[in-house]
Every structure is written in C-alpha cells, then in structure tokens.
Amino acid sequence: EGVGPQEYTIIKMKVMKPYPKKLQCVSDDTPIYLVAATLRPETMYGQTNCWVRPDMKYIAFSTIKGEVFVSTKRAARNMSWQGFTKEENKIDIVAELVGSDILGIPLKSPKTSYDVIYTLPMLTIKEDKGTGVVTSVPSDAPDDYAALTDLKKKQPLREKYGITDDMVLPYDPIPIIEVPDFGNLSAVTVCEQLNIQSQNDAVKLLQAKEMVYLKGFYDGVLLVGEYKNQKIRDIKKTIKDELIKNNEAEVYYE
Ligand code: A2H
C-alpha cells in the first residue's frame, strides 16, 4: 500500500426493529447502522448480505447526527477524530458486543435489489482494517463469493452460527458489472477458474482479487440502475457522492 491515508466509503446498513438483544438499550427512535468500509461503493447494487466476525469485539456508539454506529473500537476512535462524534476524540459507547451477538439479524442496505439482507459470519475479517464490518458483493468480490459459497454448501457451518437457510439460500450473486473476459459475475468466474475451495484459500483468493480488481475498475460497465451502460471509472464518484447525499454512506480515512 502507498503512503498517506486510504479513503473508504462507509456504507450504512440499517438494523431493523425489533433491535437485537444486545442493542435493546438503544431507543426505538434512534437509527442503528452496521457500518461497512468499502473501496467499491459502485457495487452496492449487488449486496447479498453483511459480514461480521463472530469472535471479534465491536462497539455501538452515538454519532453527532444522533444515530448509533456499530464498528470496532479502533474504527470508532478514528471516526471520532474525523468529526463523526459529538466531541472530537471522545466515544460515547452505548453497548459492547461480539460479532456473534449480531449474527443473523435483518438489515436494509442501499441500492441492493434484495429488500432485506442478513448478517452472516466471515472468519477472515481483519481487526486492523476498516470497521470490522464488511458488506458482501459476491458478484464482484472473490472473498465474498467464497465465504457465501461456504455457507451455502455447508449446513453445519450455518448451524454452528445459528444461521437459518432463509438467510442464505435465496441469496445469489447479482450480475451488476460486465467485465471484459470475465463476464457479468467476475468474482464467480475467477473463483471457478482458480478452483477456490473456501474462504480460507488465501493464496488463490489474493490472486483472484488481483485478476478482477483493476480490470473491474478500468473496463467494467455497470449493468443496472440509473447509470446503466456507463463505465465504472466514469460513475464511481457520482454514485459515492449520491450515497453520501442520501445519508446512506460517509467518507472515512485510515
Ligand atoms: B471491498 P484493502 Cl465488490 N477485513 O468492498 C477483510 N476485508 C475487509 C475488511 C476487513 N476488516 N474491511 C473491508 N474489507 C474488504 C466490496 C468489494 C471490495 C468488492 C471488490 C473488492 C473489494 C464488497 N465487499 O476489496 O485491503 C472490503 O471489500 C478488494 C480488496 O483496504 C473493502 O472493499 O484494499 C476491501 O476489503 C478493503 O481492502
């Protein structure tokens, strides 16, 4: 990675009511968001679920807009320096949780064609990157496709984390971007080409990411929504700005 901060777009994935047990201390008129850091805001049309790591610690904290965000404490600290909290450098913690406390909960997320998506377990989420919450776009992200396929194929894995079939089985990758040579489900194509067996296939997944990432950005064409048929590199910023304007996203640096 280069010098200087990396800019992420934080996608606000809204927690539906009734709030899960560990978040019931939050009043019903306060919106709660799981906040996911992404480099690809233009792929939000293809979200099928949200990832959290079952054994990782998260906090829920109040923001300056009177909302509650769920992220790692590390990310909350960064956000508090970036104007997300009422007082700079101070985090108003409303709950401390682990990922498993928020697994299998329904969310509303911007742009995706699925009305409701669920929080599912991803075991490879890193503590020291982004918010610890990841939005899943299995059409275009090899990690997401591998982890979703694991859950679809492995009933015992679903059972272990209390994930029911209806949270996983109806959710297929959505064709949202056409990439030359890789078709309209580029992550699926590359995972199959490389014969990736699971989310733990780290070496091949890195290779898969390298194969699709730049190509998706430079040569990808959007297939859905109001910027249909336009090149990703021409509309990425417009989509990001629109999400932010609609209070569906924020800019975050680390
Ligand atoms: B990306 P970079 Cl469609 N642990 O978003 C593991 N992965 C994380 C993470 C964490 N703590 N925080 C964010 N990420 C993922 C979309 C996407 C992403 C697409 C294609 C590629 C892609 C949908 N998931 O990333 O190391 C998030 O997944 C390819 C690398 O900072 C985020 O963007 O470059 C990306 O990794 C940030 O990774």
Side-chain angles (χ1 to χ4, degrees):
E1 258 146 61
V3 284
Q6 167 75 56
E7 180 189 300
Y8 293 91
T9 302
I10 282 197
I11 304 298
K12 299 170 73 173
M13 308 179 83
K14 195 167 209 254
V15 177
M16 291 172 72
K17 288 164 201 162
Y19 288 157
K21 225 197 207 131
K22 284 285 170 81
L23 293 169
Q24 275 173 7
C25 52
V26 178
S27 112
D28 257 1
D29 8 280
T30 303
I32 307 177
Y33 298 97
L34 303 196
V35 289
T38 182
L39 299 171
R40 304 283 313 270
E42 75 282 6
T43 66
M44 296 302 107
Y45 299 96
Q47 294 172 92
T48 59
N49 61 280
C50 172
W51 301 118
V52 297
R53 208 177 89 190
D55 63 334
M56 213 162 83
K57 288 182 182 167
Y58 294 87
I59 61 165
F61 65 99
S62 306
T63 74
I64 193 162
K65 291 184 181 170
E67 301 166 339
V68 165
F69 281 10
V70 176
S71 74
T72 57
K73 193 183 267 186
R74 184 192 142 276
R77 218 175 274 132
N78 285 335
M79 285 188 245
S80 79
W81 298 325
Q82 292 169 34
F84 284 73
T85 51
K86 213 186 261 166
E87 277 177 79
E88 190 172 324
N89 259 334
K90 193 164 165 284
I91 312 168
D92 175 14
I93 299 178
V94 301
E96 307 211 21
L97 9 147
V98 287
S100 55
D101 294 327
I102 45 171
L103 278 178
I105 63 171
L107 306 169
K108 294 262 183 201
S109 204
K111 300 250 182 252
T112 175
S113 48
Y114 292 112
D115 232 14
V116 172
I117 58 179
Y118 290 87
T119 318
L120 303 176
M122 179 187 253
L123 307 172
T124 56
I125 291 180
K126 297 188 182 83
E127 306 234 33
D128 58 351
K129 176 191 293 193
T131 55
V133 177
V134 179
T135 185
S136 173
V137 183
S139 53
D140 291 83
D143 287 321
D144 298 344
Y145 179 66
L148 185 62
T149 304
D150 280 346
L151 282 167
K152 285 199 181 211
K153 283 195 309 205
K154 299 168 187 166
Q155 196 276 334
L157 185 66
R158 298 198 293 277
E159 193 173 311
K160 178 173 177 189
Y161 294 107
I163 300 301
T164 56
D165 292 2
D166 62 300
M167 298 173 186
V168 177
L169 302 184
Y171 291 92
D172 291 320
I174 309 169
I176 54 161
I177 296 174
E178 178 76 31
V179 182
D181 302 337
F182 295 117
N184 60 17
L185 292 171
S186 56
V188 180
T189 303
V190 170
C191 285
E192 282 171 0
Q193 271 178 16
L194 296 178
N195 196 23
I196 288 170
Q197 292 300 320
S198 89
Q199 66 191 289
N200 299 315
D201 230 338
V203 175
K204 284 186 181 173
L205 279 167
L206 188 61
Q207 199 184 339
K209 278 183 269 186
E210 283 165 358
M211 284 167 73
V212 292
Y213 189 61
L214 285 181
K215 228 178 152 71
F217 178 68
Y218 288 105
D219 302 322
V221 174
L222 197 62
L223 298 173
V224 294
E226 87 184 274
Y227 307 103
K228 193 175 160 156
N229 299 327
Q230 302 202 50
K231 285 209 161 174
I232 297 302
R233 62 169 177 234
D234 297 330
I235 46 86
K236 186 183 181 101
K237 186 175 182 305
T238 310
I239 294 176
K240 180 187 81 177
D241 292 346
E242 184 186 294
L243 286 163
I244 293 165
K245 197 186 80 206
N246 295 339
N247 196 32
E248 295 170 326
E250 305 272 359
V251 174
Y252 165 79
Y253 298 91
E254 65 177 37

